[in-house]
Amino acid sequence: MEFDFLSPVDEEIIQYVSTLSSQHLGSKVAFHTDKEFPDSDKIRIAILGVLDNRGDKQAYEEVDLIAIRKSFYGLYPGNWESPIADFGDILPGNSIEDTFFALQKVLSKLLRQGVIPIVLGGTQDLTYGMYRAYDSQEQMVNLVSVDSKFDLGKQEEGVSADSYLSKIILDEPNNLFNYCNIGYQTYYNSQEEIDLIEKLYFDAYRLGEISNTIELAEPVFRDADIVSIDLNSVKSSYSGNFVTFTPNGFDGKEICSLARYAGISDKVSSFGVFNHQNKKEEAVLIAQILWYFIEGVNYRSNEYPFGSREHYIKYIVPLENEELVFYKSNKTERWWIEINFFAGQHNKLKKNTLLPCSHEEYLTACNQEIPERWWKAQRKNSL
């Protein structure tokens, strides 16, 4: 019943795929057509479009995903084993809330089946529909947004691409445990918004921080459930978007690296790309973003959640008033720090008490400094 919200893939795409060689990606994907629907039980990754851009009051054109799909299916896959299907599109509902509801229902079913949905918008407020899909999972949710803005906006103006985060934070049931912004640009965010992010013990990394050391983002994605990418976080000279001109932002290599980090995370279970302007130049970049995300999924190490800890080296760092415990994987050499959640706190937080971190944070602890990531997690736990 949930999949009744989906309309078939445009016939132009089906015709285009039929002209490709058997080696192209499009020849290896199952499609929702007028005659058949992919078997979701046999799928690992599901691509679906959401043709609603009412979150942007300046949007004049309808959402068109044909160029993106052509660019993507015209690529060659890597050495992938995860089956992919294109489930078609969710059409705009009578209201934006109807679209959220349809997206929530579709994603909720996919998540229950262990399928990773890739959502192509539309405007970024569709992230709210992705978030609500986790209500049925009875778990706390970590959201990572690659964006130049925090999108807190003014709640009284209604939900939009610039204010959806406020709706996520305020609406019940509140399942949000952590929000992290990757790539914000200070001049696009008021000091009040920056202070609020800090007050809520959320995480935020400026564009310059990530561009200088992109590895900082890896532990963030490793702890994410939802990853939402605003294409306006990419500078226009790389995205081809000169409608909403963006002089500063990530370059093409950086945004694809972030997408691969998201894909390789064992925990990320949904991924979305939003706020494009229907330009063919953007379609090429979005196709490559999707490619790198799927490449990452196919190289997951399956280290989350921890099973036996015998494959990890344990490090104990004594501080003046604390004793921090770190684990390093023998397989990938990635690091985790132990968090002690108090009994009764976040009863829906069915996650391991090991928080992804970096080697540098272990070295910070060795220098008798408490890593900020650990400190914020403990503060959120005590709220």
Side-chain angles (χ1 to χ4, degrees):
M1 179 178 177
E2 290 88 345
F3 294 151
D4 292 344
F5 293 111
L6 295 165
S7 62
V9 175
D10 195 287
E11 184 61 29
E12 184 177 339
I13 300 299
I14 304 301
Q15 292 296 324
Y16 170 74
V17 169
S18 70
T19 68
L20 300 175
S21 75
S22 61
Q23 299 302 311
H24 280 99
L25 181 56
S27 300
K28 303 178 184 298
V29 173
F31 289 92
H32 175 195
T33 66
D34 290 326
K35 298 179 180 179
E36 60 182 333
F37 191 88
D39 184 350
S40 56
D41 290 328
K42 298 179 180 179
I43 297 301
R44 174 65 169 149
I45 297 168
I47 296 169
L48 59 139
V50 186
L51 308 184
D52 199 326
N53 61 359
R54 282 175 287 185
D56 180 4
K57 294 180 175 59
Q58 306 301 317
Y60 297 105
E61 297 182 25
E62 295 181 351
V63 180
D64 186 346
L65 302 176
I66 290 177
I68 296 173
R69 283 183 161 112
K70 283 185 175 180
S71 294
F72 179 59
Y73 295 132
L75 301 175
Y76 291 97
N79 185 23
W80 299 346
E81 297 180 355
S82 300
I84 305 170
D86 190 327
F87 277 40
D89 299 318
I90 295 175
L91 302 178
N94 292 329
S95 67
I96 189 66
E97 287 75 17
D98 292 335
T99 304
F100 292 154
F101 179 80
L103 181 58
Q104 173 186 348
K105 290 299 182 182
V106 172
L107 262 61
S108 180
K109 182 166 184 177
L110 291 174
L111 292 171
R112 289 197 304 271
Q113 294 179 307
V115 178
I116 301 170
I118 296 177
V119 180
L120 297 176
T123 41
Q124 200 179 13
D125 51 300
L126 296 168
T127 304
Y128 177 77
M130 295 176 67
Y131 165 72
R132 286 271 76 104
Y134 288 79
D135 290 352
S136 60
Q137 302 292 301
E138 296 186 347
Q139 68 172 76
M140 299 301 288
V141 176
N142 290 343
L143 166 64
V144 172
S145 175
V146 180
D147 199 340
S148 59
K149 302 177 182 178
F150 295 133
D151 295 327
L152 287 164
K154 294 181 179 179
Q155 184 69 5
E156 60 268 20
E157 295 178 358
V159 65
S160 71
D162 294 324
S163 66
Y164 74 91
L165 183 58
S166 294
K167 188 171 179 64
I168 288 177
I169 292 172
L170 296 174
D171 272 17
E172 296 289 344
N174 192 303
N175 303 322
L176 184 67
F177 180 70
N178 192 43
Y179 164 79
C180 180
N181 174 285
I182 299 287
Y184 81 94
Q185 297 176 41
T186 307
Y187 37 74
Y188 288 141
N189 299 276
S190 70
Q191 190 59 49
E192 182 182 17
E193 291 174 311
I194 296 172
D195 291 342
L196 179 60
I197 293 294
E198 186 69 24
K199 182 179 178 181
L200 294 172
Y201 302 113
F202 290 157
D203 301 310
Y205 295 82
R206 292 178 62 175
L207 171 65
E209 289 182 90
I210 301 299
S211 292
N212 290 335
T213 313
I214 200 162
E215 295 82 5
L216 286 173
E218 189 277 326
V220 174
F221 286 111
R222 208 183 333 147
D223 201 38
D225 298 290
I226 306 169
V227 173
S228 173
I229 293 181
D230 183 340
L231 208 65
N232 290 321
S233 65
V234 181
K235 64 179 74 174
S236 292
S237 56
Y238 283 87
S239 71
N241 171 17
F242 291 97
V243 176
T244 308
F245 181 67
T246 307
N248 291 305
F250 292 115
D251 62 29
K253 180 181 177 182
E254 290 166 345
I255 197 68
C256 287
S257 294
L258 295 176
R260 191 177 189 278
Y261 280 147
I264 210 167
S265 164
D266 294 318
K267 195 167 181 281
V268 170
S269 51
S270 62
F271 181 81
V273 181
F274 306 100
N275 289 350
H276 57 88
Q277 300 292 332
N278 295 345
K279 303 302 177 186
K280 290 183 179 180
E281 295 82 3
E282 285 183 300
V284 175
L285 178 61
I286 293 172
Q288 293 181 13
I289 290 171
L290 302 186
W291 192 97
Y292 274 100
F293 174 75
I294 296 174
E295 170 87 344
V297 170
N298 279 271
Y299 283 93
R300 290 187 173 187
S301 57
N302 299 315
E303 290 184 317
Y304 178 88
F306 271 36
S308 169
R309 297 188 184 182
E310 63 185 35
H311 301 298
Y312 302 83
I313 302 174
K314 182 178 181 179
Y315 295 83
I316 300 175
V317 180
L319 301 180
E320 184 176 348
N321 298 315
E322 295 283 351
E323 186 177 84
L324 301 187
V325 179
F326 291 83
Y327 289 89
K328 177 186 175 184
S329 167
N330 289 335
K331 185 177 182 180
T332 63
E333 297 190 351
R334 296 190 295 185
W335 288 77
W336 284 261
I337 185 171
E338 193 168 74
I339 303 292
N340 296 315
F341 288 115
F342 305 117
Q345 292 286 335
H346 297 302
N347 54 14
K348 287 192 285 188
L349 191 62
K350 296 178 181 177
K351 58 176 283 186
N352 201 289
T353 56
L354 293 176
L355 183 69
C357 68
S358 64
H359 180 228
E360 287 68 26
E361 286 170 302
Y362 164 71
L363 297 178
T364 295
C366 290
N367 288 327
Q368 299 297 294
E369 296 179 34
I370 293 180
E372 185 176 6
R373 194 189 312 272
W374 182 92
W375 183 85
K376 284 185 175 181
Q378 291 287 50
R379 291 300 178 274
K380 276 201 290 285
N381 178 52
S382 62
L383 289 176

